Amino acid sequence: MKPAERTIHLVYPHGDAISCPDAIGRNLGRRLEARYSVRYYDWDGRQRIDPEVGDVLLGHPHPSPWTTFRLSAPDPEWSRVLMLNPFNLDLRQVAWIDGPIRKSDLYLAITGNYWFSRIARSEVAHWLPKMVHVDLAVDRSDFPRVKLRFAESGRRRFLYVGHSGWQKNPSFLTELARRLPDADFGWVGAGRTPIEGFTSHGSLDFRSREAQALVATYDFLVTVSLTDANPATILEAMAWGLLPVCTAQSGYTGYEGIVNIPANDIESAVGLLSRLQFIPAAKLERLRRENDGLLDRHFNWDRFTWQVVDAIESRSNPALGSQAFDGRLRLRTAELTSPYSPIHPRNLAREARGLAAGLKRRPWRTRA
């Protein structure tokens, strides 16, 4: 038995992929194993966990009410119930977590400083007493330094990594490419919506030498999301040696080496990318060293894990803040009409498949 004599039931994707969300569950779980007994569950699994004395439920609730975290959280026998999942202030994406938060002692919100600083003035301000700001992390051994030197002025290239769903604001990327016809834009990812003006490289496994060699041909990572918690691609780009360029609404703001681009001002955005083409290489190198320091001090899995351990060992279970009736109504409406609503036709079909598949899954597994 581990010294702390506790079992952590971790409900989070935890596969071998170096990308998130699997990287979160895997890196966190392995570090927690140094202090606790850890049992792993799939976030979309459909089993109810029966806790023993001292057990802790930690994890990512699923939009479906009939999944492991949400089925298990109401049990009063848990020592601690801790939510851990990404957060931003787009009600379409987060309204559904109001229920799970009410069953949790704390909500460990994986999010950027941009979003956390705005909660008190938002539609979900009543969540704030239970919220703990947790910054995302990256394992630099998974994303080694591949970019050694920046291209010469005027020939620098921009890379976007991610899908082309509405959350990522792909039309703005397309407009950037249209306004900058002499610039070279590339895209690693997939999606139903094409990103015109970007050379598509498809989905790649960044563990491969071929993918890393491709990344090394670019200088900047660009992402223009309007509602993104704090994408891991920003940190991955920093580890590779690229300089990230992102909207504040991607979560990261106030870091000198993470260049913020305006989200709704195409003229200013075009001007900024144009200026980046001609910034002296020495300044780019200085910004890159600044980012190396951020990764070493702040955006790493040891710091991430210690924030979670603090919540596990804490007794904190604050009450939610007050919420006016009209605020409750707006939140409930957003929950029922969002793409994550369980009554959305696409989700109803997925529920039927998931319930059938869940009958065949093992309830939990430990690592060898």
Side-chain angles (χ1 to χ4, degrees):
M1 180 68 71
K2 296 296 191 307
E5 301 279 339
R6 305 183 86 168
T7 296
I8 309 299
H9 297 262
L10 180 58
V11 183
Y12 218 101
H14 52 275
D16 293 331
I18 62 174
S19 58
C20 293
D22 290 283
I24 296 174
R26 187 181 67 257
N27 281 288
L28 173 62
R30 287 175 176 171
R31 285 164 175 78
L32 290 178
E33 286 171 3
R35 297 176 59 91
Y36 311 101
S37 174
V38 180
R39 295 181 177 180
Y40 295 82
Y41 304 78
D42 294 327
W43 85 295
D44 57 351
R46 295 175 180 274
Q47 52 277 339
R48 183 181 182 277
I49 307 168
D50 294 317
E52 298 181 0
V53 175
D55 284 5
V56 174
L57 179 65
L58 166 66
H60 191 328
H62 189 280
S64 168
W66 304 285
T67 44
T68 298
F69 187 94
R70 298 180 71 173
L71 289 172
S72 305
D75 195 315
E77 297 303 314
W78 290 109
S79 171
R80 302 283 284 157
V81 176
L82 303 170
M83 272 181 56
L84 173 71
N85 60 273
F87 168 82
N88 63 55
L89 283 173
D90 180 8
L91 291 187
R92 293 172 297 176
Q93 298 182 56
V94 303
W96 65 270
I97 64 176
D98 189 66
I101 287 175
R102 295 177 184 278
K103 303 295 183 182
S104 301
D105 296 309
L106 292 174
Y107 173 23
L108 309 181
I110 304 173
T111 191
N113 52 6
Y114 175 87
W115 294 117
F116 204 83
S117 68
R118 284 160 171 74
I119 297 170
R121 303 182 298 277
S122 76
E123 296 277 11
V124 295
H126 62 293
W127 294 350
L128 190 55
K130 282 188 177 288
M131 296 182 73
V132 176
H133 179 196
V134 178
D135 283 301
L136 197 50
V138 68
D139 185 338
R140 299 187 72 173
S141 66
D142 287 335
F143 297 90
R145 177 59 48 86
V146 296
K147 184 68 176 180
L148 302 181
R149 295 180 181 177
F150 292 102
E152 63 185 73
S153 296
R155 303 188 66 179
R156 294 165 184 161
R157 309 176 76 210
F158 299 90
L159 179 67
Y160 167 65
V161 178
H163 61 77
S164 63
W166 55 271
Q167 304 96 326
K168 301 296 185 177
N169 200 16
S171 62
F172 198 83
L173 289 172
T174 293
E175 186 64 11
L176 284 175
R178 190 181 73 82
R179 297 289 192 98
L180 293 166
D182 294 331
D184 195 347
F185 293 91
W187 172 28
V188 173
R192 296 179 179 179
T193 302
I195 305 179
E196 297 178 7
F198 279 65
T199 300
S200 176
H201 302 293
S203 297
L204 299 177
D205 183 346
F206 287 120
R207 290 171 291 193
S208 73
R209 291 183 179 180
E210 294 78 11
Q212 292 175 7
L214 174 69
V215 168
T217 67
Y218 288 90
D219 302 276
F220 302 99
L221 178 107
V222 60
T223 184
V224 296
S225 301
L226 294 175
T227 53
D228 215 338
N230 59 343
T233 53
I234 299 295
L235 306 180
E236 294 161 5
M238 290 161 62
W240 282 324
L242 278 62
L243 285 180
V245 180
C246 71
T247 53
Q249 292 86 345
S250 296
Y252 301 90
T253 185
Y255 302 105
E256 187 179 8
I258 302 176
V259 181
N260 284 135
I261 188 171
N264 294 303
D265 184 346
I266 190 63
E267 298 296 339
S268 295
V270 167
L272 186 147
L273 294 192
S274 298
R275 290 191 296 275
L276 288 175
Q277 284 282 14
F278 297 96
I279 288 179
K283 181 175 181 179
L284 298 180
E285 292 289 353
R286 182 180 64 79
L287 294 176
R288 182 155 68 177
R289 289 193 297 272
E290 177 72 18
N291 287 345
D292 286 340
L294 282 174
L295 296 181
D296 292 340
R297 298 187 310 269
H298 195 84
F299 296 109
N300 61 76
W301 291 116
D302 287 341
R303 180 176 181 271
F304 184 102
T305 301
W306 277 113
Q307 288 184 279
V308 176
V309 169
D310 284 346
I312 291 172
E313 298 299 330
S314 168
R315 295 183 179 180
S316 178
N317 179 17
L320 290 171
S322 60
Q323 186 184 23
F325 174 78
D326 60 338
R328 292 197 299 270
L329 181 61
R330 285 193 295 272
L331 195 63
R332 184 60 175 164
T333 300
E335 177 184 5
L336 293 175
T337 58
S338 85
Y340 301 100
S341 169
I343 64 173
H344 189 285
R346 179 187 60 200
N347 297 331
L348 287 173
R350 184 177 61 196
E351 289 300 325
R353 295 192 300 269
L355 287 169
L359 297 176
K360 301 178 182 179
R361 294 176 179 167
R362 291 179 296 170
W364 58 268
R365 53 184 175 273
T366 57
R367 291 189 182 275

